[in-house]
Amino acid sequence: MKRLLLSLTALTLAAPAHADTLVDNVNGITLDKDGDLVRFTGLVIGTDGKVKQLLDRKDKRPERPDFKQDGGGRTLIPGMIDAHGHVMGLGFQLMLLDLSATNSLAEAQAAIRKYAAENPEMPWIIGRGWNQEKWGLGRFPTSADLDAAVPNRPVWLERVDGHAGWANSAAMAAAKIGATSKSPEGGRIEMANGQPSGVFVDAAMSLIDAAKPKPLARDLDRALYLAQQKLLAQGITSIADMGTTIAEWQAYRRAGDKKQLAVRILSYGGDIDNMAIIAGSEPTPWLYDDKLRMVGVKLYLDGALGSRGAWLKAPYSDAPGQKGLPLLTPAQLRNKMVRASMDKFQVAIHAIGDAANAEALDAITDLTADLPGERRWRIEHAQVIDPADIARFASLKVIASMQPVHQTSDRVMAEARLGPDRLRGAYAWRSLENAGVRLAFGSDVPVESADPFAGLAAAISRTDAAGQPFGGWRPEEAVSRESALDGFTRTAAFAAFAEDRLGTLMPGMRADFLIVDADPMLASPDEIRRLSPRETWIGGYRYYQRKD
């Protein structure tokens, strides 16, 4: 936090009126509207916060700009757009207990015990980030494992992917969960010896969520503030917020009203109810100088691989009796899609398993003829696809909204869950691109870090932060540097109907950009991973400057 210039005070104070600005002596990079790489050495920003002109070395500079900055020869790139994240999830991760760095059950227990001791006033211990695969546990954790750390207060911890929760005995007692409790449709209570084990998958999480304390408005405001600080420091200038609730939307509006909204939020309502109560009968207009808009709705069709909730066509290789969980019936899915589309809301469908992806494509096929116009159907994650279905993404013009860092985190687990035969359609970026599918890239923050440079490096190398595996995991599915940059900029904007103002630095577009120390079109994957913004500009204002 000490490295950030952004503060509540800085955001609250009305910035001076836009003046013509020249950022000069830079190694400028952007994509044009067709996706071709454009280089420039100077950038002129108009009084409206939009790009006025790109300058080459030979071009005449404005004689008396109101503000001029010498870029020192550093690289200037478009602001990164995270095509799939959870803004408040990130904010609360920064506020509450975060287990994402723990490498074993014992480490997690120690962190939980320490957090509880440091926060004696909290009636519940709430957090997220556990991952039994990373721990090498070979099983789900249990309530007994949590009781050993905190026996006297309810503890409720979401798995890193947000598709399972881990409760101690006190939390289950508070929620009145016992041996006779039934798994809800679309969810699973993990059982052991006839009793709930402490892990609740997908829809079953609501059984504990209903009992835990609800965050107050001030908690949401603080979470948004922390999330913005983190995103700006990582170079995220816009983010598609997948699953916005009415309470979260109100926090975004409060921030906008107070001029404390810096990062652009492209909102997708958390299912139909939130969509309708927030936006009414159509997507909202752009608000707060293009900082906020509700574009569409997020629908969950299945869970995640890590909790074996992803819906597969054939059983899991490491759990032969399980195929995952469809969270919606075919009729429910189609009804929701029609309800949203009739009012011109964009539909984004969470589908991870090959069965879920096939069902999403089936539903889009069924509805496309009856819903004319440009729908820009999105499938979120698209992690495991039957290769036979890849061509359908292209023919239906479905946007594949994918997260490159998931591949690096999931590859060992994916091999165990899927077996070798299904890996051909797993995290298949190049195959989708070659078929003519547009790829929008993001992070799924807080499931993964929102760091876009880690995403860029993974996309072009199929290797993790340690450079493993050597040569990349299924390297034939890596994409080019231009495609990776496109996924985090131009197509990420297109995927949210924002390409008329965001995603490139061509004249007339919003002046959202980063200044970094290396050229991502030339740097090695390892060098790209080490990048972080020196400066983050949004709408012609510098919101963040790194202190070295």
Side-chain angles (χ1 to χ4, degrees):
M1 297 300 180
K2 294 178 180 178
R3 295 161 63 89
L4 297 172
L5 288 183
L6 178 66
S7 70
L8 279 172
T9 303
L11 281 177
T12 301
L13 293 174
H18 275 294
D20 276 354
T21 296
L22 172 63
V23 182
D24 206 2
N25 187 22
V26 295
N27 171 37
I29 298 169
T30 188
L31 300 173
D32 65 15
K33 65 181 179 62
D34 298 317
D36 296 323
L37 195 67
V38 175
R39 290 188 177 272
F40 55 92
T41 60
L43 178 74
V44 180
I45 304 167
T47 57
D48 55 2
K50 297 178 181 178
V51 177
K52 192 172 185 178
Q53 188 179 6
L54 298 181
L55 302 172
D56 202 352
R57 290 189 189 282
K58 64 181 183 298
D59 292 329
K60 184 179 180 180
R61 270 50 183 167
E63 290 186 3
R64 294 183 178 178
D66 293 295
F67 178 80
K68 180 178 179 180
Q69 176 164 320
D70 186 337
R74 295 189 176 92
T75 297
L76 187 155
I77 62 176
M80 297 288 104
I81 302 175
D82 192 317
H84 182 116
H86 306 277
V87 175
M88 285 301 189
L90 170 60
F92 279 109
Q93 183 185 59
L94 295 168
M95 286 175 64
L96 301 174
L97 174 59
D98 180 10
L99 296 176
S100 59
T102 60
N103 295 304
S104 68
L105 174 61
E107 278 189 25
Q109 288 170 318
I112 296 163
R113 194 177 291 113
K114 181 174 182 289
Y115 184 88
E118 292 174 348
N119 296 277
E121 77 288 353
M122 288 187 173
W124 282 54
I125 303 300
I126 297 172
R128 69 176 294 157
W130 59 272
N131 185 347
Q132 82 282 5
E133 298 295 327
K134 183 179 178 181
W135 295 345
L137 195 60
R139 60 173 176 83
F140 278 130
T142 66
S143 58
D145 294 326
L146 262 186
D147 293 343
V150 180
N152 300 320
R153 268 187 289 172
V155 181
W156 177 234
L157 307 168
E158 288 190 15
R159 193 180 184 278
V160 64
D161 56 19
H163 285 273
W166 177 24
N168 69 349
S169 297
M172 289 194 290
K176 297 181 172 56
I177 301 295
T180 60
S181 298
K182 303 296 183 184
S183 296
E185 184 177 352
R188 184 175 70 247
I189 302 173
E190 291 288 323
M191 304 294 289
N193 301 317
Q195 296 289 331
S197 72
V199 168
F200 299 77
V201 178
D202 287 315
M205 296 170 66
S206 64
L207 301 174
I208 305 293
D209 281 332
K212 75 178 184 183
K214 301 295 185 289
L216 302 174
R218 63 173 176 265
D219 300 323
L220 292 160
D221 294 344
R222 176 66 176 167
L224 176 58
Y225 166 61
L226 294 174
Q228 289 194 91
Q229 283 192 313
K230 187 69 172 178
L231 293 169
L232 289 167
Q234 292 178 313
I236 300 297
T237 56
S238 302
I239 184 169
D241 187 48
M242 286 292 166
T244 308
T245 66
I246 179 60
E248 292 167 350
W249 179 264
Q250 289 170 327
Y252 302 156
R253 292 298 304 262
R254 286 194 295 273
D257 290 344
K258 296 175 183 177
K259 302 187 186 310
Q260 292 175 2
L261 200 56
V263 175
R264 304 188 194 277
I265 298 176
L266 309 166
S267 172
Y268 290 76
D271 217 304
I272 296 296
D273 289 346
N274 281 296
M275 177 199 82
I277 197 170
I278 290 168
S281 60
E282 62 182 0
T284 70
W286 288 93
L287 303 169
Y288 310 117
D289 209 22
D290 293 349
K291 291 293 180 66
L292 180 64
R293 185 186 185 218
M294 174 154 282
V295 186
V297 64
K298 163 79 175 297
L299 304 177
Y300 280 97
L301 187 49
D302 70 343
L305 275 179
S307 55
R308 295 190 186 89
W311 183 23
L312 301 180
K313 292 183 175 182
Y316 281 85
S317 294
D318 59 355
Q322 297 183 32
K323 288 186 179 181
L325 298 165
L327 302 182
L328 296 170
T329 67
Q332 288 171 333
L333 175 62
R334 287 157 178 78
N335 287 341
K336 289 174 183 286
M337 291 170 68
V338 169
R339 168 69 176 80
S341 296
M342 290 294 287
D343 286 339
K344 298 182 173 58
F345 290 97
Q346 187 186 18
V347 175
I349 304 171
H350 168 115
I352 289 182
D354 53 7
N357 278 280
E359 173 61 16
L361 293 168
D362 288 345
I364 291 168
T365 300
D366 291 345
L367 299 180
T368 293
D370 295 326
L371 294 169
E374 189 176 17
R375 295 295 164 188
R376 295 192 194 175
W377 306 105
R378 297 176 55 139
I379 293 183
E380 305 302 311
H381 309 304
Q383 284 182 7
V384 185
I385 305 169
D386 185 331
D389 286 328
I390 288 177
R392 292 209 288 160
F393 271 81
S395 65
L396 294 167
K397 296 183 179 180
V398 175
I399 297 164
S401 172
M402 307 179 79
Q403 299 75 44
V405 285
H406 278 335
Q407 179 266 304
T408 62
S409 298
D410 292 356
R411 65 178 178 86
V412 174
M413 176 189 67
E415 289 172 348
R417 297 282 192 271
L418 303 174
D421 294 340
R422 281 181 285 194
L423 294 179
R424 282 195 308 120
Y427 314 88
W429 314 322
R430 177 64 70 87
S431 293
L432 285 160
E433 183 181 51
N434 287 347
V437 180
R438 296 196 69 164
L439 304 179
F441 284 153
S443 67
D444 203 13
V445 65
V447 176
E448 305 277 2
S449 167
D451 178 7
F453 299 103
L456 286 168
I460 66 173
S461 71
R462 306 279 287 194
T463 59
D464 63 17
Q468 295 298 315
F470 179 77
W473 185 76
R474 302 187 65 82
E476 67 275 11
E477 293 294 349
V479 298
S480 70
R481 292 166 186 265
E482 290 82 2
S483 292
L485 180 62
D486 182 275
F488 279 105
T489 56
R490 188 180 72 108
T491 295
F494 174 85
F497 284 94
E499 75 277 10
D500 62 336
R501 63 200 70 204
L502 307 178
T504 79
L505 291 173
M506 301 306 291
M509 306 295 279
R510 287 289 183 185
D512 299 353
F513 60 89
L514 313 176
I515 296 177
V516 297
D517 290 327
D519 185 337
M521 297 294 103
L522 302 173
S524 70
D526 188 53
E527 289 171 328
I528 293 172
R529 282 189 198 94
R530 293 199 300 267
L531 286 179
S532 65
R534 279 187 169 271
E535 300 180 12
T536 301
W537 292 60
I538 299 176
Y541 293 129
R542 184 173 58 203
Y543 277 93
Y544 166 78
Q545 184 172 19
R546 190 177 76 212
K547 291 184 177 180
D548 291 325

